[in-house]
Amino acid sequence: MNSKPVHLAVYNTYADWETGHATAHLARAGHDIRTVGPATLPVRSIGGLRVQPDLALDDVRPEDSSLLILPGADLWDAGDDLAPFARKAREFLDAGVPVAAICGATAGLAREGVLDDRAHTSAISFYLAATGYGGGERYVDADAVTDGALITAGPTEPVAFAREILRLLGVYEGEVLDAWYRLFHDSDAAAYAVLEKAGAA
């Protein structure tokens, strides 16, 4: 397992529900989750949760991380406040360090040009098209998409988003990963037995 922490971006209006499955199961598997804000001042999620970031964005380096997770937020579509997070994502990807973006964060990556030459998804194709980006031909109508070190998903797919993260970081694989997804996405009770047998329940 990669001993470097997973960095979860947090900023005002971030969508709390979009990353919970991923971070909870990464933490249970032994990954250290560190929150990253615009600064170290507290932020508030859409759900009103007050979060004190562990680190400021300027202090995060790709070589010190195993993954950067970018949740959606109202602020992604309300101006350029979160553009530094998209630039940081480009820095991570250029260094070969994975990035996972969901919902509005995909629009931020589109504006940054990160999606122009990578397969990706989002809420819907015309949402990203409105950014004026050049990657429309690489859009995939799927619950979540992994292209190399980049994971993308739409706002209604936090479980599929987590599945791709867990696969990429090697937390679960094969039938265990499939069972995890069936349990949390489809409420398939039979999947629990697979997880229990694998010690992943």
Side-chain angles (χ1 to χ4, degrees):
M1 183 179 73
N2 191 333
S3 61
K4 297 177 181 179
V6 170
H7 288 97
L8 170 66
V10 292
Y11 20 72
N12 286 321
T13 74
Y14 83 90
D16 359 33
W17 67 91
E18 292 176 345
T19 60
H21 283 90
T23 55
H25 289 274
L26 287 171
R28 288 184 71 183
H31 286 270
D32 180 25
I33 310 296
R34 307 293 305 280
T35 52
V36 180
T40 55
L41 298 173
V43 298
R44 284 203 181 272
S45 72
I46 289 178
L49 299 181
R50 181 181 183 274
V51 177
Q52 179 84 48
D54 296 312
L55 298 163
L57 183 64
D58 287 346
D59 296 328
V60 177
R61 304 183 310 165
E63 58 266 35
D64 298 328
S65 183
S66 60
L67 172 69
L68 175 64
I69 302 176
L70 300 175
D74 291 344
L75 287 181
W76 281 113
D77 296 318
D80 296 329
D81 286 358
L82 300 184
F85 285 90
R87 290 194 292 271
K88 184 64 72 171
R90 176 183 287 284
E91 182 184 335
F92 267 59
L93 292 168
D94 287 347
V97 180
V99 171
I102 186 169
C103 189
T106 62
L109 296 188
R111 293 184 191 96
E112 180 63 21
V114 170
L115 304 184
D116 287 355
D117 56 359
R118 294 176 172 92
H120 59 275
T121 194
S122 184
I124 197 164
S125 61
F126 59 75
Y127 169 63
L128 292 186
T131 68
Y133 83 129
E137 292 185 355
R138 304 300 304 274
Y139 186 88
V140 180
D141 188 10
D143 55 8
V145 171
T146 298
D147 185 341
L150 177 66
I151 295 169
T152 52
T156 60
E157 297 295 344
V159 180
F161 184 60
R163 176 194 63 205
E164 297 305 298
I165 290 171
L166 297 174
R167 185 201 323 267
L168 190 69
L169 294 186
V171 174
Y172 304 132
E173 55 188 25
E175 69 172 6
V176 176
L177 181 66
D178 177 66
W180 181 90
Y181 181 74
R182 287 188 290 113
L183 179 63
F184 287 98
H185 187 267
D186 303 326
S187 299
D188 181 354
Y192 184 81
V194 177
L195 295 176
E196 188 174 40
K197 183 178 178 182

